[in-house]
Every structure is written in C-alpha cells, then in structure tokens.
Amino acid sequence: MQATLTPLKNLIFVAGGRYDHFNQFGDVWTYRFAGSYKIDKTNTVIHSSVATGFSPPSSQDKIFGNNLGLRPDKNLGWDAGVEQQLWENRITVGATYFHNDLSNVIGLNGLFQTLNLGAARTQGVETELHAQPIKDLTLSATYTYLDTEKTSTADINQPVGSRLPRRPRHEVYVSASYLWCKKLRTTVAAKWVNAREEINFGEPNFDIEDYNFVNFAAEYEINSHLSIFGRIDNLTNEHYSEVFDAQHPTVGAFPALGRAFYGGVKMRF
C-alpha cells in the first residue's frame, strides 16, 4: 500500500505500508515515509526518508546448527541527502547520510553457527557521481563509508563496541560504458573493498584482507530483435574471500570465484 502527495510545486511526500503474516512470527507491519523537494533555481533536490524493516530467518540461516529459536532481524532506519545537477544535466552528484538501528541481527558466530547477534548500529555516507561528457559515453562512481558497532552483549563472540563482521568501512565502485557505432556497447567496472574485520571467538575482531576486482561486459545488437552478449567477471583473477576462519586468519573459508566467462543471445519480439 502506497500513497503520494504533492501539496506544493516540487514538493513530494510518499507514504507506504506493508502487512505480512508469518506462521511462526504472526502479523507484521512495516512502513516507509519519504519526501523530496526540488529547488529549480539551482537544480538541486533535497530528500529524506524513514522506514522499518523485518527479515525472518532464511532457509540458509536454519541450516547451520539448531536454530529453531532464531528471531527475525528488525531495523529502524532513516536517511537524508542532496542531489545536484551540473553542466546542463550532464553531471549528477549526490551525497546521503544514513543511520540504522538493528535488533536481533542474524549472523554466524566463530563456530559457524547461525544465531541472533543482538543489537547493532550502522551509519555512514554514500556519495555518487554520474556523468555523460559526450553522447555515447557514461561514467559512474560511488563511494560508501560505513561505520558499524555492536551495541548489546547477546553474543559473547562479539563484545560491545566491536564492528560487525565482514562489513567494509570503505567501498568504491567505478564504471565506464561506451556505445560504439550505435551497435556495440562495452562496459568496464571495478570495485575496491577496504577495512573489514572477522569475529574471533570472544577476542577482539581481527582484520581481514582488502580486495578489488574488475569486470568487463559487451553486447552487440545485430538487429532490433537479436543481440549477442558476453562478460568476464574478475578479469584480473583476483583471489579473495568474503568469510575467514578465525583459527586460520590468512585462509578464506569461502573463496570467491576466479576469472569467469559468460556469453549468450538475447531475442526480442
């Protein structure tokens, strides 16, 4: 359910609500309120929102250990930001501050058992840049700074004040896309992830490796109904892991795939 209201020119309010019924957790209501205002003189948009979230344990969460007592992950979050158009709308820059209060956070402890890790807080800033300096070239870049903190003692493997595991403090993404001769579009994208920590059986978290990777994709339109495409993920064959073993900090528990090739055909009718 959602409603939109425009009481003044360039002022937009959006209100939405969702009702879910779970056999195990009963009736659940979540909501979202958002608003934005555009300043015509400077081509600036100011926006903000507040929302609640509810995430029941997934089937994967229930696989590890005896998790019949897992409670849903809940969230109350808000954000506020600004977006600015420049150079005859060829450039868009934006920045958004966000804050989330989490309860019953679902995650793995040091023994790879899924449980509720208690309450936590996350906050940070997301910045973005999108540019089209010439007609067929599109450039994008985003940077996210994330600060996380455990705020309860529900899980002894994560003392109060420690960072949530595996959430990077810094994350950068850049991409460039170009359309050649109105037929061939190529896209190259890169991502850098920095400053992550892993839990360590009740001891202070330990740092885990930074990583980066590059992806390449291409699509050629043969005609209005048929095109072929291909992509290479992890072009540089970067070796990294999202999760580490506290007993062997230099060994990734679940290493990511190396260089991978994909291709296919698209048909439109």
Side-chain angles (χ1 to χ4, degrees):
M1 179 177 61
Q2 180 171 297
T4 302
L5 179 65
T6 54
L8 299 172
K9 179 185 177 182
N10 296 340
L11 179 62
I12 301 174
F13 289 114
V14 178
R18 174 170 171 167
Y19 166 78
D20 291 282
H21 177 77
F22 298 89
N23 291 335
Q24 185 176 356
F25 306 111
D27 301 331
V28 177
W29 279 98
T30 53
Y31 64 81
R32 180 177 183 267
F33 298 101
S36 67
Y37 180 71
K38 182 179 181 181
I39 305 172
D40 286 331
K41 186 176 182 179
T42 59
N43 212 4
T44 305
V45 176
I46 301 171
H47 58 85
S48 182
S49 70
V50 59
T52 57
F54 180 94
S55 179
S58 68
S59 57
Q60 183 175 354
D61 293 330
K62 298 176 180 179
I63 292 176
F64 297 94
N66 181 13
N67 298 309
L68 296 178
L70 274 179
R71 299 184 302 278
D73 189 328
K74 297 181 180 180
N75 175 34
L76 171 62
W78 63 271
D79 63 73
V82 60
E83 183 180 285
Q84 180 66 55
Q85 302 280 345
L86 302 168
W87 193 19
E88 299 178 342
N89 296 335
R90 294 185 184 183
I91 296 178
T92 302
V93 294
T96 301
Y97 170 81
F98 59 89
H99 182 103
N100 295 285
D101 291 310
L102 312 172
S103 60
N104 300 334
V105 177
I106 297 174
L108 296 173
N109 64 8
L111 300 175
F112 291 100
Q113 297 172 330
T114 306
L115 44 74
N116 291 109
L117 302 178
R121 171 193 51 77
T122 68
Q123 61 182 352
V125 176
E126 294 180 342
T127 60
E128 58 180 337
L129 167 66
H130 304 284
Q132 192 171 21
I134 58 178
K135 182 179 180 181
D136 295 321
L137 176 63
T138 302
L139 306 174
S140 297
T142 62
Y143 166 71
T144 301
Y145 171 79
L146 176 64
D147 175 56
T148 67
E149 182 181 358
K150 185 76 177 348
T151 57
S152 77
T153 58
D155 175 26
I156 62 172
N157 294 290
Q158 287 188 269
V160 171
S162 61
R163 283 181 55 82
L164 294 181
R166 308 174 200 107
R167 277 76 163 181
R169 189 182 297 272
H170 306 285
E171 189 170 317
V172 178
Y173 175 85
V174 296
S175 69
S177 179
Y178 189 76
L179 181 62
W180 305 82
C181 304
K182 310 300 180 183
K183 289 288 187 179
L184 174 65
R185 177 171 294 280
T186 57
T187 302
V188 60
K191 185 177 182 179
W192 289 266
V193 174
N194 171 262
R196 298 182 301 152
E197 297 180 357
E198 184 60 275
I199 51 181
N200 193 19
F201 298 99
E203 300 296 325
N205 292 352
F206 64 89
D207 294 333
I208 55 179
E209 65 178 4
D210 305 333
Y211 67 88
N212 59 80
F213 58 80
V214 177
N215 295 337
F216 176 80
E219 181 172 354
Y220 181 77
E221 185 179 279
I222 298 174
N223 55 48
S224 60
H225 301 287
L226 182 65
S227 62
I228 57 176
F229 66 90
R231 78 175 194 266
I232 306 174
D233 289 350
N234 196 1
L235 180 65
T236 57
N237 200 32
E238 177 82 0
H239 298 284
Y240 66 95
S241 181
E242 296 284 354
V243 181
F244 277 69
D245 184 349
Q247 294 180 327
H248 305 89
T250 60
V251 179
F254 300 98
L257 292 176
R259 186 184 299 113
F261 302 84
Y262 303 88
V265 177
K266 290 182 180 179
M267 299 185 68
R268 295 176 287 273
F269 300 96

